Amino acid sequence: LNFKLGYSRYTDTEFFFDNFLKHDWDDKTPVGNIRLSTNYVINKYIDAGLYFGYSLYKTYIPYVYSIDYVDVSSIMYGVSSNIHFLPFFIKMERSRIDVYASLHYGGIHLFEPEGGINTKKNYTEYGIYGGLAFYPFRHLGFYAEYGYGKYANWRYGLSLKF
């Protein structure tokens, strides 16, 4: 069993500015999110599981003579899988280093308020990453992943492996 608590920053603003002033918006600040994933080890090469995440982003509600800026929550959810490369080359029961490819596919749901600019509430999220984990302690380690994702290219955090 493997748990990851991670952080990434969404750099694509598609779902933040869906319809209103999409291309004229000046604030393209990336939005951070926290994600918890849990994967079940199928064999020494592959694990698969689920992930859930949370993010807070800014949106606005246009009125006739003003605009209200509000913080809005969103959740991420989906399935994930990792393919581990070191077991192909090193025959060890347990290693402090893990090199892997990570895949995920899921969705994002926005809790947009009534009158908010986003009329679409659900978005597809996917990504493929190369990952490196280091375990200075028996079960606790750190990981970083870089690759291509629809909204994020970097992910990093803590990993708990049993």
Side-chain angles (χ1 to χ4, degrees):
L1 204 54
N2 187 8
F3 297 97
K4 289 182 183 175
L5 179 62
Y7 178 80
S8 65
R9 293 178 66 80
Y10 285 160
T11 54
D12 186 321
T13 55
E14 171 196 348
F15 59 89
F16 306 120
F17 315 105
D18 201 23
N19 293 318
F20 188 71
L21 296 176
K22 181 174 180 178
H23 300 292
D24 297 329
W25 190 257
D26 291 332
D27 184 12
K28 302 284 189 187
T29 304
V31 175
N33 70 76
I34 295 174
R35 177 176 303 199
L36 176 65
S37 66
T38 180
N39 285 1
Y40 176 76
V41 178
I42 296 169
N43 58 40
K44 62 183 175 180
Y45 307 107
I46 298 174
D47 59 50
L50 303 171
Y51 70 86
F52 300 96
Y54 175 80
S55 183
L56 194 65
Y57 70 96
K58 284 204 177 301
T59 190
Y60 59 95
I61 304 171
Y63 296 106
V64 176
Y65 297 108
S66 66
I67 295 175
D68 265 353
Y69 294 90
V70 293
D71 289 328
V72 179
S73 296
S74 65
I75 57 170
M76 302 82 176
Y77 53 89
V79 294
S80 62
S81 182
N82 295 320
I83 301 167
H84 304 274
F85 298 121
L86 285 184
F88 289 107
F89 307 106
I90 301 172
K91 304 297 180 206
M92 292 179 67
E93 185 62 34
R94 200 158 180 89
S95 173
R96 287 183 172 255
I97 296 174
D98 188 12
V99 179
Y100 59 93
S102 178
L103 308 151
H104 77 269
Y105 181 83
I108 299 172
H109 178 77
L110 308 181
F111 294 99
E112 186 80 12
E114 190 66 36
I117 61 165
N118 289 314
T119 56
K120 186 176 174 186
K121 307 278 189 225
N122 296 297
Y123 294 83
T124 302
E125 178 187 38
Y126 53 83
I128 181 167
Y129 301 89
L132 176 66
F134 174 66
Y135 293 89
F137 307 103
R138 181 168 171 81
H139 298 290
L140 181 65
F142 307 97
Y143 78 94
E145 299 173 352
Y146 180 77
Y148 174 78
K150 184 169 183 185
Y151 298 113
N153 294 331
W154 273 102
R155 301 187 318 187
Y156 53 89
L158 297 174
S159 181
L160 190 61
K161 192 172 192 174
F162 296 99

